[in-house]
Amino acid sequence: MFDAGLSPKVSSAEEIRRYLKDVIYRLKARGVWRYLDPAIRGWLTLASRLESIKFRSREVLSVLVKILKRVKSLLSIPRLMIEIGVKYAWSAWRIASSWGNRDAERWKNDRAYQFYCGLTALQLSRIVPGMIYPELNAVKNVLSFRGFGRFVRSLGRIL
């Protein structure tokens, strides 16, 4: 795993840089990179380009982890749909089990059903005005206003 002559710290720093470059590439490929908050773009760019950084500081690693947690929904549309659909899947499970459906217990943890609930909820939001998803607030905090509108419109095109 490690090259000869390199310490594990250098190699792990290279892996972190490589991972950050991959995240940046995926954000650019999705067309979201330019709409990110400038501070987030700056942190990701700086951490991925600085060759001398060793990632030993807990503060630096903490900031990078927080940023990566905030942008993870932008990297995977299916993950975002599942995050939105989880609460609806659990609601459907409670209703169905209260009506006596014993098989409904499996619904609440079924990823495919959660994805379906997320897609359905997003489609309903296009029909019913005022439906707000707290899961999209994490995305809203990372993107500029224009970028958030573009991202939500792109979700509509996907669906």
Side-chain angles (χ1 to χ4, degrees), residues 81-126:
M81 292 300 106
I82 289 171
E83 288 175 9
I84 292 171
V86 165
K87 73 178 180 185
Y88 296 103
W90 278 63
S91 296
W93 159 70
R94 281 191 208 104
I95 291 169
S97 63
S98 72
W99 291 343
N101 187 340
R102 295 172 202 248
D103 294 332
E105 178 75 27
R106 291 181 295 200
W107 298 356
K108 66 179 181 180
N109 295 321
D110 184 6
R111 291 285 187 201
Y113 186 65
Q114 291 169 352
F115 182 79
Y116 168 76
C117 288
L119 286 176
T120 304
L122 216 54
Q123 286 291 3
L124 283 174
S125 72
R126 298 171 76 189

Side-chain angles (χ1 to χ4, degrees), residues 8 19-20 54-55 81 88 101 115 121 128-129 137 140 145 149:
Y19 179 76
L20 291 174
K54 303 290 187 242
F55 299 106
M81 292 300 106
Y88 296 103
N101 187 340
F115 182 79
V128 180
N137 285 337
K140 186 183 279 188
F145 179 74

Side-chain angles (χ1 to χ4, degrees), residues 14-69:
E14 274 302 313
E15 290 174 19
I16 292 172
R17 261 193 297 284
R18 198 173 312 121
Y19 179 76
L20 291 174
K21 286 178 183 179
D22 179 57
V23 167
I24 291 170
Y25 173 78
R26 290 170 37 203
L27 287 169
K28 286 180 179 179
R30 296 217 184 280
V32 179
W33 175 254
R34 64 181 168 192
Y35 297 113
L36 284 178
D37 183 63
I40 291 174
R41 276 194 321 233
W43 266 95
L44 289 174
T45 303
L46 186 65
S48 68
R49 288 187 183 169
L50 283 179
E51 297 295 326
S52 62
I53 194 167
K54 303 290 187 242
F55 299 106
R56 286 188 221 148
S57 167
R58 286 185 185 229
E59 289 83 15
V60 170
L61 288 173
S62 174
V63 168
L64 286 175
V65 167
K66 286 178 185 177
I67 288 172
L68 291 173
K69 281 183 180 179

